[in-house]
Amino acid sequence: MGDTISDRALQAGYFCLAGPDSARLFGGEDSAAPANCAENTGLCRAQRDPVSKESMHWIILTGEYPPDPGGVSDYTRLVAEELAARGDVVDVWAPPSATAQPATSSVKVHRLPDHFGPRSWRVLSGVFRRLSLEARVLVQYVPQAFGFKGMNLLFCVWLWLHRRRCRISVMFHEVATPWEKGLGLRQLGQNILAVNTRLMAFLVARSASRLFVSIPGWEKMVRPMAGGKRIHW
């Protein structure tokens, strides 16, 4: 994962998402300040700690997060910690990890019961139902990172069905697997995966109000899926 994301893309995404223009990119300069979560489920940090009028509540969905290694893992940690450092409430949701999670007071990390499968949808649906309309959801998207060997189309359907509950932003670190020429079984399997990952990317792009790409080359692939939305690099 790490070698697919350049240092330049990491830095660009870090400043784009967490820098002074993040309010404009994610909600508009005149957006209303987010409110606290409506109910106390014991899951979100924002449901336990008061949120000031100036702060935002972020839910970050990622396929990997420290201590698990990876470029997306490191990138997500940088973004989450910077958002928390400026006073926002940040909840990260990631798959289970075999390594103990180091304690941190700035970012709350939640481990899902599976790798974005049905049990995770149930947990996240409860979280989404209790979010303020002004909360932000940020998806760190890599098709293979959401389990099912890059074929987790149902998770993308689930995300699309929840698109009206809150503002969703997507960072495309990767978009889809490439096509492969040939008539063999290996090529057939690769092209089935290519079709599936494009359907996944389409649903994820249509779920979002803001779209980001980690490298300029992804913009051409994402644009037909974007529904006219601006794509940020």
Side-chain angles (χ1 to χ4, degrees), residues 214-232:
S214 62
I215 58 174
W218 295 138
E219 183 177 359
K220 183 178 180 180
M221 187 177 292
V222 173
R223 183 151 303 285
M225 311 172 183
K229 292 187 286 286
R230 180 182 174 188
I231 300 171
H232 302 277

Side-chain angles (χ1 to χ4, degrees), residues 31-36 49-57 86-89 132 134 136:
S31 295
N36 203 346
D49 302 335
V51 182
S52 70
K53 292 183 178 179
E54 293 76 22
S55 66
M56 294 182 183
H57 181 199
R86 69 175 203 171
D88 290 349
V89 174
S132 159
E134 297 300 330
R136 268 53 167 185

Side-chain angles (χ1 to χ4, degrees), residues 180-188 191:
E180 190 162 330
K181 295 180 180 179
L183 300 176
L185 289 177
R186 185 177 65 83
Q187 289 85 356
L188 177 61
N191 289 331

Side-chain angles (χ1 to χ4, degrees), residues 126-198:
V127 173
F128 276 36
R129 280 195 300 270
R130 292 166 175 84
L131 286 177
S132 159
L133 292 176
E134 297 300 330
R136 268 53 167 185
V137 174
L138 172 60
V139 180
Q140 304 285 5
Y141 186 76
V142 179
Q144 288 80 5
F146 291 97
F148 296 84
K149 298 182 177 180
M151 299 279 284
N152 199 350
L153 181 62
L154 290 179
F155 167 73
C156 301
V157 172
W158 173 88
L159 187 69
W160 181 81
L161 291 173
H162 286 75
R163 68 194 185 281
R164 300 191 188 281
R165 291 192 177 276
C166 49
R167 301 180 186 182
I168 299 174
S169 299
V170 176
M171 165 60 85
F172 281 97
H173 296 275
E174 296 178 13
V175 181
T177 56
W179 301 104
E180 190 162 330
K181 295 180 180 179
L183 300 176
L185 289 177
R186 185 177 65 83
Q187 289 85 356
L188 177 61
Q190 175 68 20
N191 289 331
I192 290 174
L193 182 61
V195 170
N196 189 82
T197 52
R198 280 162 176 78

